[in-house]
């Protein structure tokens, strides 16, 4: 009996995500809130993950928590899938469709691995857009040359961001404030740089600006979410602060 119980325990332990050597010390921003350690707290969602994730992303009811060699997919706060990953995740995307970046390939739930060595990627209805040091690609085809650092998308457009924004699929180039480090695409464009948060039209016309030292940018379509000195800031789309801003987990008032 003791041997059987020990074997069962070891089997369950092998399925659990292994803790990171150095878990993230800062809250991880997701759509609607934050993940701090293994605790997820966001609009309409509160749960405890089995271990601090290496990368995490949320889209509506779906939450993806990525660990070395393992991806957990939650739906409505309950685990739906536990999938093996062929490597250690470098990034994870929940929207438009789930996608995980690995060191030398991509992993798409339901599709398997894709042979693209990408520094960022998006899985859209048109296919997988991805970036390397040479340019922007759709699947195996290079669309544009240039140095771009990250991607963001709405239901209508995807954008590649570098010194300028490249709108896909039509190729419109939009000038940007210097050193953009995060962006959200809705029916307008929101870009974050060290000076603050800019609201732009999809053609690049400046519509508003909120100064501040913010970190990260996410949206659920209704509100914008960012961090400032560890505090979760919730903004309306006109960049006015919403009444229900709250502090990130574990931060003193």
């Amino acid at each position: 009996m003791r041997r059987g119980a020990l074997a069962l325990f070891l089997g369950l332990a092998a399925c659990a995500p292994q803790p990171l050597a150095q878990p993230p010390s800062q809250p991880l921003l997701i759509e609607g809130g934050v993940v701090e350690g293994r605790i997820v707290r966001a609009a309409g969602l509160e749960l405890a993950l089995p271990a601090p994730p290496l990368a995490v992303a949320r889209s509506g009811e779906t939450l993806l928590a990525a660990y070395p060699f393992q991806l957990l997919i939650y739906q409505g706060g309950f685990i739906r899938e536990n999938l093996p990953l062929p490597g250690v995740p470098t990034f994870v995307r929940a929207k438009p469709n789930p996608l995980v970046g690995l060191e030398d390939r991509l992993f798409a739930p339901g599709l398997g691995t894709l042979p693209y060595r990408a520094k960022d990627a998006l899985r859209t209805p048109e296919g997988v857009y991805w970036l390397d040091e040479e340019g922007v690609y759709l699947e195996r085809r290079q669309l544009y040359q240039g140095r771009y650092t990250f991607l963001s998308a709405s239901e209508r457009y995807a954008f590649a961001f570098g010194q300028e924004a490249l709108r896909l699929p039509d190729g419109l180039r939009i000038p940007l404030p210097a050193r953009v480090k995060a962006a959200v695409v809705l029916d307008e464009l929101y870009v974050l740089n060290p000076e603050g948060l800019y609201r732009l039209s999809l053609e690049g016309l400046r519509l508003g600006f909120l100064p501040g030292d913010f970190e990260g940018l996410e949206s659920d379509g209704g509100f914008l979410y960012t961090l400032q000195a560890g505090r979760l800031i919730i903004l309306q789309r006109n960049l006015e602060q919403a009444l229900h801003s709250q502090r990130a987990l574990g931060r003193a008032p």
Side-chain angles (χ1 to χ4, degrees):
M1 293 291 291
R2 290 182 179 177
R3 290 181 179 177
L6 178 60
L8 177 61
F9 172 79
L10 292 175
L12 291 173
C15 296
Q18 298 303 305
L20 301 177
Q22 293 182 334
S25 58
Q26 296 295 322
L28 300 177
L29 185 69
I30 60 172
E31 175 189 300
V34 294
V35 179
E36 189 168 52
R38 67 187 192 96
I39 303 300
V40 179
R41 185 170 296 157
L45 178 65
E46 187 167 350
L47 64 90
L49 300 171
L54 189 58
V56 63
R58 183 190 183 201
S59 178
E61 292 292 307
T62 302
L63 180 84
L64 279 68
Y67 301 88
F69 306 101
Q70 189 172 20
L71 175 66
L72 303 182
I73 301 178
Y74 290 81
Q75 191 74 29
F78 298 94
I79 191 164
R80 188 186 76 194
E81 292 185 84
N82 183 345
L83 301 176
L85 286 177
V88 177
T90 56
F91 63 86
V92 61
R93 294 290 200 155
K95 53 190 175 185
N97 294 296
L99 187 68
V100 181
L102 305 168
E103 184 177 350
D104 60 350
R105 70 193 80 177
L106 300 173
F107 175 80
L111 293 180
T113 59
L114 303 171
Y116 311 137
R117 191 184 184 98
K119 60 182 180 180
D120 196 14
L122 291 174
R123 184 180 170 194
T124 74
E126 292 75 36
V128 175
Y129 288 105
W130 58 281
L131 306 177
D132 67 7
E133 297 299 331
E134 304 298 325
V136 183
Y137 300 77
L138 177 60
E139 305 289 354
R140 296 182 181 273
R141 180 167 59 97
Q142 187 183 68
L143 300 179
Y144 300 94
Q145 292 184 338
R147 296 181 66 88
Y148 297 92
T149 55
F150 68 94
L151 294 157
S152 187
S154 66
E155 293 181 359
R156 184 179 178 189
Y157 292 114
F159 282 79
F161 293 89
Q163 292 184 342
E164 63 183 3
L166 175 65
R167 196 171 76 181
L168 305 166
D170 62 5
L172 179 67
R173 297 177 185 271
I174 297 172
L176 292 174
R179 296 178 292 162
V180 168
K181 55 185 181 177
V184 160
V185 184
L186 301 171
D187 55 359
E188 295 171 341
L189 186 60
Y190 298 87
V191 296
L192 183 65
N193 79 352
E195 285 70 49
L197 178 59
Y198 291 81
R199 176 186 171 206
L200 309 174
S201 74
L202 294 182
E203 294 70 38
L205 179 66
R206 179 168 165 173
L207 304 175
F209 175 69
L210 179 66
D213 183 15
F214 302 113
E215 288 297 327
L217 188 63
E218 294 285 346
S219 178
D220 56 11
F223 294 94
L224 303 169
Y225 302 87
T226 187
L227 295 171
Q228 186 176 43
R231 178 187 176 95
L232 176 65
I233 303 296
I234 305 174
L235 301 170
Q236 299 180 48
R237 289 171 57 169
N238 63 3
L239 302 186
E240 292 183 2
Q241 189 163 327
L243 295 177
H244 52 285
S245 290
Q246 63 188 56
R247 293 189 179 276
L249 301 179
R251 302 298 173 193

